Amino acid sequence: MLITTDNDFHVENDGLRKNTVRCDFSFLRRDLSVLELHGFVEHYLQLAPEHVTYLQWNGVERCLYLRLCDLCTARRLVAVHSRRHTFPEGRHGARVTMKLIDVPMEVLMFDLSELVTDEQVHATMAQYGVVIAIGHSHWGPGVRYAGTPSGQRLVRMVMRKTVPKYVRIGNEVSSVYYPGQQYMEPRAGYRLLHNVVLGWNFMGRMVRTISPTNTYKRLDEE
């Protein structure tokens, strides 16, 4: 199946950091000076001024936010430099962790009929993050009805909270899949709870069997 891009339901939002890398200096007990800040970007990361579109020091989080000219440059920066540099130099320094933030991911939604609108999908998924666009899938080449909508939705979003495996949208329930999804099947969870209850009941019977009161009763009976 193919996910179309020409008729995506695009959402305008300003709640995202684009092409931004977060450099963590929380191990320091102080803020970086202006010279240290710019020196780190120039000499450690070796970034030219034309590659940096935003440079901010956050004194509360003690981190540096760098917005790069494009996503490819930002990804390369993290891959090459994260935990590769000790700051400050010497035995009292620590490795600087870097990560790309607000990275969009694709969330696949199944089992929704055409009665559910993109606006309803957006309203529900916005509870879990920032929705960027909503696409629709079509049957791909090689089948007789290629190009016919297959009913799947692709939600491109920045996830702030974990999306459950099943989400109710309007009057329908959609099953959800995205990379890195972790969940426990209901049956597996029920079996685990059932085994725990059986174990506690067994332990309770054992305790009652060997308790001093029951021992005295048996001796009296003998």
Side-chain angles (χ1 to χ4, degrees), residues 82-98:
S82 182
R83 297 191 60 80
R84 300 290 178 88
H85 306 293
T86 301
F87 188 89
E89 294 182 351
R91 61 177 183 175
H92 299 295
R95 294 189 178 274
V96 180
T97 301
M98 304 169 61

Side-chain angles (χ1 to χ4, degrees), residues 141-169:
V143 296
R144 183 173 179 82
Y145 301 101
T148 303
S150 63
Q152 296 180 10
R153 316 272 179 112
L154 177 70
V155 181
R156 185 171 175 81
M157 63 182 296
V158 173
M159 193 177 298
R160 306 292 194 197
K161 298 191 300 183
T162 302
V163 181
K165 181 172 175 58
Y166 298 99
V167 176
R168 176 172 292 277
I169 303 177

Side-chain angles (χ1 to χ4, degrees), residues 25 27-28 30 32 36 40 44 85-89 93-94 96:
F25 290 90
F27 54 85
L28 295 178
R30 60 178 178 83
L32 293 183
E36 287 177 322
F40 177 80
Y44 285 76
H85 306 293
T86 301
F87 188 89
E89 294 182 351
V96 180

Side-chain angles (χ1 to χ4, degrees), residues 68-86:
L68 285 303
C69 55
D70 54 62
L71 183 59
C72 182
T73 304
R75 286 176 173 168
R76 188 184 304 114
L77 186 73
V78 173
V80 173
H81 294 282
S82 182
R83 297 191 60 80
R84 300 290 178 88
H85 306 293
T86 301

Side-chain angles (χ1 to χ4, degrees), residues 53-74:
T53 62
Y54 187 85
L55 194 156
Q56 178 197 19
W57 171 257
N58 189 311
V60 176
E61 301 177 10
R62 286 204 178 93
C63 68
L64 170 65
Y65 286 102
L66 284 171
R67 178 182 293 177
L68 285 303
C69 55
D70 54 62
L71 183 59
C72 182
T73 304

